[in-house]
Amino acid sequence: LCSGWICAPVGFAVVGGGMMANKKKVNIIDILIIAAILVGIAGVVIRFGSGNSRMANAMSKIEYTVEVKGLRDYSVDALQKKGDVWDPKLKKSMGTITNISVKDAVGEDQLTNGTYVKAPIPERYDVLITIETTGKVSDTAYYSSASNELCLGKDYTIYTQWSSFYGTIKEIHTVE
C-alpha cells in the first residue's frame, strides 16, 4: 500500500488516500510572462537578424582617419614606417596605415590677465593617420575585418609593430 507522496507517479498527487490528476490553472500572469518572452525573442531577431538591407554581406574597402595628439618625435618616426595596426584586445588586424600627416601640437596657455591663447607645445606633434581595411558596412555603422565597430568620435588604443597610440576616429568612408 502506498501512502503519502513517496509512491505517487509524476503528475499525480495523493489526496485523501486516492490519486487524482494534478490540475494547474493558467492565469493572466502566466500569459503576460509568455507574451513578454515572445516579444523579447522577436526583438532580438529583428535587431540582430541578418537582413540584407541592414548589413552588406560582401566585404568593402573602408578608409578611416585617426587623430593622435601630443606624440613625441620618436613615436612619429615609428608611425612613418607604416605597416599594419592591431587591436590589442582581439589581437587582430584593424588595417594598414596608408598615409600620415604631421603638424606641430598646439595647446592653450593662460596669460597673466586670465585669457587663453593657442601656443605650440614644444617637441610634440599632432598626427592624422589614414588606415585602410576591409570590412562590412551597415546602415548605421562600419565594421573592420577584426569585427570592431568603427564610429566617428570613438577613441581607440591601436598598436603597430613599433609603437602604440590612443586616438580618435575623425573620418570614415568606403573606397571604390
Side-chain angles (χ1 to χ4, degrees):
L1 230 351
C2 287
S3 65
W5 296 92
I6 297 173
C7 16
V10 175
F12 291 93
V14 176
V15 177
M19 295 188 357
M20 116 178 184
N22 187 11
K23 295 182 181 178
K24 295 205 175 200
K25 293 183 180 180
V26 177
N27 61 28
I28 192 74
I29 302 294
D30 294 335
I31 293 171
L32 290 175
I33 290 172
I34 291 170
I37 290 171
L38 291 175
V39 167
I41 290 171
V44 168
V45 168
I46 289 170
R47 172 68 174 104
F48 297 106
S50 60
N52 289 339
S53 64
R54 302 193 71 146
M55 176 81 77
N57 288 329
M59 299 295 269
S60 302
K61 273 192 178 181
I62 301 170
E63 188 175 83
Y64 60 103
T65 303
V66 178
E67 180 182 45
V68 183
K69 294 185 172 224
L71 288 180
R72 294 189 171 122
D73 57 349
Y74 60 83
S75 295
V76 173
D77 292 341
L79 286 173
Q80 294 287 2
K81 295 177 184 177
K82 298 186 179 176
D84 290 340
V85 293
W86 301 87
D87 180 303
K89 293 178 188 168
L90 298 175
K91 298 194 183 335
K92 291 185 177 180
S93 175
M94 289 185 65
T96 303
I97 297 173
T98 58
N99 190 28
I100 295 174
S101 172
V102 181
K103 62 181 180 180
D104 290 333
V106 177
E108 291 186 350
D109 280 343
Q110 185 175 12
L111 300 177
T112 55
N113 64 3
T115 60
Y116 288 91
V117 295
K118 295 206 180 261
I121 301 172
E123 300 178 13
R124 298 292 178 139
Y125 304 94
D126 292 341
V127 180
L128 288 175
I129 304 164
T130 304
I131 301 169
E132 190 173 286
T133 187
T134 56
K136 293 188 177 186
V137 180
S138 76
D139 294 341
T140 58
Y142 294 87
Y143 296 91
S144 73
S145 57
S147 298
N148 281 344
E149 184 177 16
L150 303 171
C151 300
L152 285 177
K154 189 171 181 182
D155 296 327
Y156 289 94
T157 300
I158 300 175
Y159 287 86
T160 69
Q161 183 177 357
W162 300 278
S163 67
S164 65
F165 53 90
Y166 186 76
T168 305
I169 293 183
K170 293 297 183 181
E171 181 183 347
I172 307 173
H173 61 274
T174 56
V175 178
E176 299 300 322

